[in-house]
Each structure stands twice: as C-alpha cells, then as structure tokens.
Amino acid sequence: MITRFRKLSPALLPFVALVISSCNNPTGSLQNNDWVYDNIEFDMPRVIEPSFPDNEVNIADLGAIADGQTLNTDYFTKAIELMAAKGGGKVIVPSGIWMTGPIVLKSNINLHLEDGALIRFSPDFELYPLVESNFEGKNTYRCQSPLSGNGLENIAITGKGVIDGSGEAWRPVKKSKLTEGQWKKLLNSGGVLEAAAGYRVSRGNLPPLQNQDEFMKIKDFLRPVMVSLVNCKVVLLDGVTFQNSPAWNIHPLLCEDLSIRNLTVRNPWYSQNGDGLDLESCKNALIYNNNFDVGDDAICLKSGKDKQGRDRGRATENVIIKNNIVYHGHGGFVVGSEMSGGVRNVHVSDCTFMGTNVGIRFKSARGRGGVVENIYISNINMTDIPAEPIRFNMFYGGQAPMLEDGSSSIESQNKDKLAFSVTEETPVFRNIHLKNIVANGFGKVAVFIGLPELKLENLSLENAVLSGYEGFVITDASGIKLKNVKIFQKNGPALTIFNSKDIEVENLNFNEQSDASAVAISGKESSNIMLNNTDFKPGDKQIQLLNGAGNTAVVWK
C-alpha cells in the first residue's frame, strides 16, 4: 500500500497582458571564473556559459498561486513557452511556495528562483507518466522526472530559491536507518511497502522486465531522478538549493559545456539512491563552490554500464571540480561504478569531506569494461570518515580479496586468475594521482584493490597524512608510488602489499606497533617492492614476508 494524493485540476489561465522588454544586447550570468582553470594538468577548452535575451516573465503575473496547494503546472508551461517564442529569456519564480507537476524546459530559458521561492513538486504519482529513461547506466523505463530537458541548448536554473522533489513520497526507508521513534512516526504516516510486490520487483532499480506493459504494473515504484538533463549543451546551474529527490538529485547525461556552481544539494542521510550530482557521459564541465549533504554518493562521475555503456562509447571527460564541501554521503568524490564508456581528464582540488562513508572512491567490477585515466586529485581534507578516506575497489558488489595482516588466501586469487582473462569487459584504472591529502577515518587509512587479471596501474599518493584504525592495503596493483606519506594506524602493519609489483615507497612515516611489522608483503607474485633504508630501523623485523613472498620481493634503496 502506498499513500495516494488526489489529483488537482489545473486552474484556467486568465487573460494577461504580458509586457516583455527587449534589447539588442543579450544578457547572461557570466562571471569571472578564471581561477577555476588555474593549475589544471591537461588541456581543455573553456566551458561556454549561456547568455539570454533581456526578456522575462513572472509566473505570478500569469495567475500562478503560491499557497503550497494549488497546482501551477500550466503556469510554468505557459511561461516557458512565452519566453521560448520570444527567442528566450528569464522565467521568474518569486517568493512563495509553488506546487507543481513536472516542468519541462526549452532552449534559451533561464528558470530563475528569487529569494524565498520554493518550487515543490507534487507527490501525486499520477502526474508523472512512465517514460523511456536511463538509470544507473542503462536504458529503462522510469516515471517522468520532475524537472527535465532533452536535446536543449543554452539553458539555466539560477537564483537563491529551493527546488524540492517530495522524495519522501517516493523513497523506501530501511528500518535500520531510523530511530525507534522515527520509525513509529513513519509507520503512522501510512504507505508501508514491505509486502508490496511492486517494491520487491523494483528494488534492484533495473528490474528484469521485458516491455512497457510490465513496467506499468510497478510504475509507482520506479522513482525518477529529480533533475534530468539529456543531450543538452551550454548549461548553467547556479545558486539554487536542490533537495529531497525521489532518486538521484541532479543527473546530466550526454551533455556538454556545463557550469555547476554555488549550489546546495540536500537529501536525508538515509535516502536510498539519494545521490547529489551524477555526471554521466558529459564533456567540458565545471563543478565548484557547492555544498552537498546527501544520502548516497555526493559528486559522482559515470559513463554507462556494461555493454550498453561500451556501445554508447561516450566518456565523461574534461571535468574540473574545485572548492566543494560534502557533509555526508557514501562518497565525497566518486568514479563509478557505471564507468563503461570511460572517465578521463579530471581535476579535483580544494575540497572538504566531513563524515562521508568513504572520501575519495573509485569503484567498478568485472563486466564493466571502460578506461578510467588521467585523474588528478589534490588539496583534499577529510575528517571522521567511517570507512576508508581513499578506496579503489574493482570488486564493487562482489567479494573483494580484503587482507587481514597479509593473510588472505593465495589459492582463491589463483582461481580468479584462471577463471578470468582480460577482455573488453575488464575495467582499466590507470594514471591516477593524489597529493596533499589529510584525512582521518575509522577503518583502514586507504585501500587500493585491483583485479588479479589486470592490476591497478600507475597510481601515486604524495604528501599525505592518513589516520585510521588499520593501515594502508595495496592488492593487485602495479606501478604504485607513495612519497612523503604519514600513516597513523592504531592496529597492525602500516602498509600491507599483496600480489603487487613495482611499488615504490619513499619517506614513509608510521606508528610503530610492538606486535606487528611496519610492512607486510604477501603473495608469490609480489615483486620489486622498493623500500628506502632510511625509513626503517636496520636489524629489526619491520618487514614481514608472508604467503610465498620471497626475499627477492624487496629492493632496498
């Protein structure tokens, strides 16, 4: 059973004499952002920003009512069509609570929310028809997004108002994520879904259904992303608060020339699939001066999933991410797991992550394929991270060969090597560089986990101070360089290396443990582990060789 709301009848549009001013010189939202391009490690063109004619219409002048009850869908549609007919302009949303159904943008439109403006999308599911869509990297059917645009050019959503997706009407909630009092209050509100067949079918997000009729049977459980922009060029999101989305909050897909700045992006911490920003198969993007506090990944780069993503063949590339704050999320900055079209040429700097489950997160799995490369991350501060501040995991959704003091099973690794060969379905992660990182967490300080059949390749970490309960784990990697890294682990080795090669460690500082070695090297495939004599006391047992790792695995410098 789900809670239903009566569909409101749209009010008739009154006759309004609309005065539209025009001038020959178009106006836009251009601002000096030269600093955003400073110290970028790769060549990319400057991102084009939209510019609009000096036309405007206020939805209140068309008869829209800001009482939080009246459905204003037709007034938004009328205002957008009026501006589009004039060649573009600004649709003004003044202070007030504006209830509405789906809003569909047009080219050359700036949807502008003034101070005190709140656009609240109706929780009436009947207003959101089932449409062809894309979610989690694959083509599917979902309910229509509350705010959308497809194939548009020169668009913006600006101002200081709030856009609310009424996500509480759509989202399932796990009992384990609420206090007893919160859970009782939620049950008393109605809409219990535990026994609903539609929920059971849809909870994997990509239900294995064959046609639209089958999807229609579970329509109300196919939660849309709140803001869906597909195949759009020259896009600006500036200043607005986006919150309470049914699924992901903001999802640009196959877009070019995006500027995303000065936003506040919010979802309850317990919201399933409550991502902040999912940039998928987009090119030339700036993401800066934003705040995120969400229920899933905060800033996430994607490019399609498995064969559909590889066939699409559109990488997310040329992305600058600067000066963002994440208060909560599954990951602060994330790549994957849907990255089958590739991710490349990404700069991330001057960000702060506070209480995110993981800070810097790279995730993928066998079957994805795709290449993630040329990623540069610097000047990141992370605090109170429950898991790892830095995590690379190529076993997302599967069984990762996590190590406990270097004692993981070599036999299981060898079985993996025999069972899996390198194909187009093997994800590639290479040429990823991190520097100037300060972080404290409550799990391992960092985890680099590649695949036995294809190692993580050419990763570096320089000038880092990492603290956590356990040390740094490197598994199935090649060409890893750690320089000027301080590890404050409370338990076990500072560094554990398993079946990895060409690992260079220079100026490593760590907590010395009376009952554990400083470095544990495990696995018969571990080789050319380059350690510096000055980092370790001679004559003690700070280096431990386990599970087939021989004396020749270590090279002293």
Side-chain angles (χ1 to χ4, degrees):
M1 181 181 70
I2 61 175
T3 303
R4 287 288 187 181
F5 294 83
R6 183 179 299 173
K7 183 177 180 181
L8 300 174
S9 299
L12 296 176
L13 290 173
F15 176 78
V16 177
L18 176 66
V19 178
I20 301 176
S21 61
S22 301
C23 66
N24 293 327
N25 295 322
T27 62
S29 300
L30 299 177
Q31 60 178 233
N32 188 338
N33 60 1
D34 291 345
W35 64 272
V36 178
Y37 297 91
D38 291 343
N39 303 314
I40 303 305
E41 298 85 354
F42 47 87
D43 292 331
M44 68 172 281
R46 290 185 71 93
V47 172
I48 303 169
E49 294 196 8
S51 178
F52 304 96
D54 193 18
N55 304 321
E56 62 182 42
V57 59
N58 189 311
I59 62 169
D61 292 340
L62 297 177
I65 299 174
D67 61 2
Q69 302 294 323
T70 303
L71 200 65
N72 292 293
T73 313
D74 287 348
Y75 299 115
F76 278 100
T77 300
K78 182 67 173 179
I80 290 170
E81 289 178 347
L82 283 170
M83 288 297 93
K86 292 292 182 179
K90 182 185 293 185
V91 172
I92 297 174
V93 184
S95 178
I97 303 175
W98 307 92
M99 182 71 75
T100 182
I103 296 174
V104 180
L105 297 174
K106 290 182 178 290
S107 292
N108 303 311
I109 296 299
N110 177 7
L111 180 64
H112 182 78
L113 286 75
E114 293 185 335
D115 279 335
L118 168 59
I119 296 175
R120 187 166 189 268
F121 288 101
S122 170
D124 181 357
F125 294 173
E126 296 299 324
L127 299 176
Y128 306 90
L130 192 70
V131 297
E132 291 184 1
S133 184
N134 187 286
F135 190 62
E136 292 190 345
K138 287 191 173 182
N139 297 326
T140 186
Y141 288 95
R142 309 290 289 186
C143 290
Q144 180 179 346
S145 289
L147 181 53
S148 65
N150 193 326
L152 308 182
E153 188 164 350
N154 199 56
I155 59 173
I157 304 171
T158 64
K160 297 183 179 180
V162 177
I163 296 177
D164 187 294
S166 292
E168 73 283 350
W170 296 86
R171 288 189 301 266
V173 179
K174 294 180 179 178
K175 182 178 181 180
S176 61
K177 292 192 173 185
L178 299 181
T179 66
E180 183 178 353
Q182 289 171 328
W183 182 250
K184 288 181 178 178
K185 182 178 179 181
L186 183 64
L187 293 182
N188 291 334
S189 72
V192 180
L193 303 180
E194 185 175 355
Y199 169 67
R200 292 197 301 271
V201 173
S202 68
R203 62 184 175 183
N205 289 331
L206 294 171
L209 304 178
Q210 301 301 315
N211 54 58
Q212 186 172 2
D213 290 339
E214 292 184 359
F215 279 90
M216 274 298 299
K217 295 177 182 178
I218 62 168
K219 168 186 172 294
D220 290 349
F221 301 93
L222 299 175
R223 296 171 290 137
V225 301
M226 187 170 76
V227 180
S228 174
L229 301 174
V230 182
N231 281 310
C232 295
K233 295 182 178 180
V234 191
V235 178
L236 172 65
L237 306 181
D238 187 2
V240 178
T241 294
F242 295 90
Q243 68 177 30
N244 200 19
S245 55
W248 296 348
N249 208 314
I250 304 169
H251 182 208
L253 170 64
L254 296 165
C255 295
E256 296 186 19
D257 287 306
L258 296 101
S259 298
I260 300 172
R261 64 187 182 225
N262 306 319
L263 303 185
T264 297
V265 182
R266 303 173 63 239
N267 266 329
W269 70 270
Y270 53 80
S271 56
Q272 292 183 242
N273 312 113
D275 295 29
L277 169 65
D278 291 277
L279 196 72
E280 182 173 354
S281 295
C282 292
K283 184 177 182 180
N284 301 335
L286 305 179
I287 302 166
Y288 62 97
N289 292 350
N290 303 290
N291 292 334
F292 295 85
D293 192 348
V294 295
D296 209 306
D297 292 331
I299 304 169
C300 190
L301 306 186
K302 300 177 180 288
S303 61
K305 185 175 184 179
D306 300 343
K307 187 177 186 302
Q308 285 190 24
R310 296 193 300 273
D311 289 347
R312 179 201 294 166
R314 292 280 295 274
T316 288
E317 59 183 323
N318 297 345
V319 181
I320 299 174
I321 301 170
K322 283 190 173 184
N323 200 33
N324 299 283
I325 297 174
V326 180
Y327 294 97
H328 181 272
H330 287 185
F333 167 72
V334 182
V335 175
S337 72
E338 306 93 73
M339 38 58 66
S340 302
V343 177
R344 58 177 176 259
N345 295 349
V346 177
H347 172 101
V348 184
S349 66
D350 302 303
C351 293
T352 301
F353 307 146
M354 294 179 283
T356 58
N357 291 5
V358 177
I360 298 166
R361 186 183 192 191
F362 291 80
K363 53 183 177 176
S364 188
R366 290 173 175 136
R368 293 286 193 268
V371 179
V372 174
E373 62 184 347
N374 304 337
I375 314 294
Y376 304 89
I377 302 171
S378 63
N379 303 331
I380 307 297
N381 294 308
M382 296 176 273
T383 185
D384 298 331
I385 307 299
E388 299 88 21
I390 306 170
R391 177 193 290 173
F392 288 76
N393 184 11
M394 301 301 104
F395 286 83
Y396 181 69
Q399 184 62 45
M402 296 295 290
L403 298 177
E404 294 294 338
D405 297 342
S407 58
S408 290
S409 169
I410 296 176
E411 181 182 357
S412 67
Q413 294 293 303
N414 288 336
K415 287 180 180 178
D416 276 345
K417 288 180 70 66
L418 293 174
F420 295 94
S421 58
V422 177
T423 70
E424 67 173 3
E425 297 183 356
T426 308
V428 178
F429 282 68
R430 65 192 181 200
N431 303 336
I432 301 172
H433 306 286
L434 303 91
K435 65 180 181 180
N436 304 333
I437 310 293
V438 176
N440 77 281
F442 304 107
K444 295 176 173 64
V445 301
V447 173
F448 289 5
I449 301 178
L451 294 170
E453 65 271 21
L454 187 62
K455 314 286 190 185
L456 294 175
E457 183 180 357
N458 192 26
L459 275 59
S460 69
L461 175 63
E462 182 176 355
N463 301 336
V465 179
L466 308 174
S467 64
Y469 184 72
E470 295 180 332
F472 200 134
V473 173
I474 299 174
T475 301
D476 289 311
S478 174
I480 306 298
K481 184 174 182 179
L482 307 182
K483 183 178 180 181
N484 301 332
V485 176
K486 295 181 180 180
I487 298 174
F488 295 97
Q489 86 285 5
K490 295 181 179 179
N491 185 54
L495 177 61
T496 300
I497 300 170
F498 181 76
N499 277 351
S500 298
K501 63 181 182 179
D502 302 328
I503 311 297
E504 184 177 355
V505 181
E506 179 181 347
N507 195 21
L508 177 69
N509 289 271
F510 51 89
N511 274 348
E512 295 187 21
Q513 304 288 334
S514 60
D515 58 348
S517 58
V519 178
I521 300 173
S522 178
K524 62 183 179 181
E525 295 184 16
S526 291
S527 64
N528 200 29
I529 312 299
M530 293 172 277
L531 304 178
N532 198 318
N533 277 304
T534 59
D535 294 341
F536 304 94
K537 295 178 181 179
D540 64 9
K541 297 181 179 180
Q542 288 190 309
I543 311 300
Q544 186 177 17
L545 301 176
L546 302 168
N547 299 329
N551 291 327
T552 59
V554 178
V555 177
W556 291 99
K557 299 190 296 180

